[in-house]
Amino acid sequence: MTEREKDAMAPAGERPASWTSRTPQPGSLEPGWLQPGSLQPGTPRERARARTVADIVRLGRQHLAVHGAAALSLRAVARDLGVVSSAVYRYVENRDELLTLLLIDAVGELGDEVDAAVSAVPEGDHMGRFCALGRAVRAWALREPASYALLFGSPVPGYEAPAERTTGPGTRVIVTLVGILDAAARAGRLMVREQGVAAIPPALGSDLSAIRSQFNLDISGELVARGVLVWSALFGAVSFEVFNQYGPDTFSAPGELFDYHLRVLARVAGLPGQSS
């Protein structure tokens, strides 16, 4: 009998440590933390369990791409895995747990690609880093539209992502974006060009101050508000392209449109028009 078979026959309450139980704290950027091999389980049973969960997530992503999140079925995943559904339930309790694993897997992969793209640009090139972040988000979203839709599309009926497991990995991209803008501000390279465009109401000002304090930002409240606009507009531009909201023939060079949007958003954020 293999270790995987032994694990499948173990009592339901016996759950060896695995990568699915690790929850990063919000703001902690740990590239690859959700990869099954990243924790290097020590025992044969733990390694077999990690491999099985990785297989379930891999098949789950395939089903997500074909059938969509709302139609995701653990029984169908079990069938493709070659086991009875009761065996899969020893690793993934229900459909919602599978959705959570797919969500964490997706935001982790997106975060890794964004971090790799940003780190390839010199630290002092804030505009270049900003553009690298935006292009990495777009490239991943176009390559993985089903996973992107799980993260940023319509909510899945009846499913609510557990904040204690998804907030940390889910905020990696915005934390990286905030880091770029804060670094530019500390270098004296971030400024508002159009003064007095809109007054900040007291309640909003309080919220912006809380964000500045939470992230220890050297940025004015107005620049924080502009950063939030840039964040939402960046993902809005990506979503329009991924979900074909522009129409099939409106833009013959969507990449050029996106780069133009990045340059406009950089100016909104207060970045200088330097690098690519």
Side-chain angles (χ1 to χ4, degrees):
M1 180 179 294
T2 66
E3 290 294 334
R4 180 178 298 187
E5 290 168 337
K6 292 178 181 177
D7 193 48
M9 295 178 64
E14 181 180 343
R15 299 185 179 276
S18 71
W19 64 279
T20 61
S21 63
R22 185 180 179 195
T23 305
Q25 295 302 311
S28 65
L29 306 185
E30 304 178 63
W33 70 269
L34 53 76
Q35 299 302 321
S38 62
L39 297 186
Q40 298 180 342
T43 69
R45 175 174 291 184
E46 288 171 345
R47 290 194 294 272
R49 184 178 187 84
R51 288 193 299 270
T52 301
V53 174
D55 285 342
I56 292 171
V57 170
R58 174 180 56 80
L59 291 171
R61 286 184 68 158
Q62 294 176 7
H63 282 246
L64 183 69
V66 174
H67 305 293
L72 204 62
S73 166
L74 264 180
R75 290 182 179 274
V77 170
R79 182 172 60 248
D80 286 356
L81 191 62
V83 299
V84 296
S85 58
S86 59
V88 171
Y89 287 124
R90 297 187 186 279
Y91 300 91
V92 180
E93 294 179 0
N94 48 44
R95 184 210 65 158
D96 283 5
E97 172 66 11
L98 178 57
L99 283 169
T100 298
L101 292 179
L102 292 175
L103 190 153
I104 294 173
D105 180 63
V107 294
E109 185 174 276
L110 173 60
D112 286 349
E113 295 201 10
V114 166
D115 287 348
V118 170
S119 63
V121 180
E123 290 186 6
D125 186 357
H126 308 111
M127 178 66 169
R129 287 192 151 209
F130 173 79
C131 289
L133 180 148
R135 289 168 185 155
V137 171
R138 175 178 180 266
W140 181 84
L142 291 175
R143 192 180 71 245
E144 301 290 347
S147 292
Y148 182 87
L150 177 63
L151 302 182
F152 303 106
S154 300
V156 180
Y159 172 72
E160 184 173 350
E164 70 278 4
R165 297 176 61 189
T166 59
T167 298
T171 55
R172 284 179 59 184
V173 174
I174 181 57
V175 168
T176 300
L177 174 59
V178 167
I180 293 171
L181 299 181
D182 187 56
R186 294 178 187 276
R189 303 287 292 171
L190 196 70
M191 62 189 69
V192 176
R193 294 171 177 81
E194 304 87 3
Q195 296 290 339
V197 173
I200 296 179
L204 174 59
S206 178
D207 292 339
L208 297 174
S209 294
I211 293 173
R212 292 177 63 199
S213 176
Q214 177 184 356
F215 291 98
N216 190 29
L217 300 178
D218 188 21
I219 301 177
S220 68
E222 182 173 359
L223 283 172
V224 173
R226 285 168 173 259
V228 173
L229 172 60
V230 168
W231 173 32
S232 58
L234 170 64
F235 279 92
V238 171
S239 293
F240 256 61
E241 187 173 357
V242 171
F243 302 137
N244 199 26
Q245 295 298 305
Y246 292 123
D249 304 316
T250 305
F251 296 105
S252 60
E256 292 181 5
L257 174 68
F258 184 76
D259 279 349
Y260 177 82
H261 286 161
L262 282 180
R263 292 193 296 273
V264 172
L265 291 175
R267 184 176 179 85
V268 170
L271 287 169
Q274 48 187 54
S275 185
S276 52

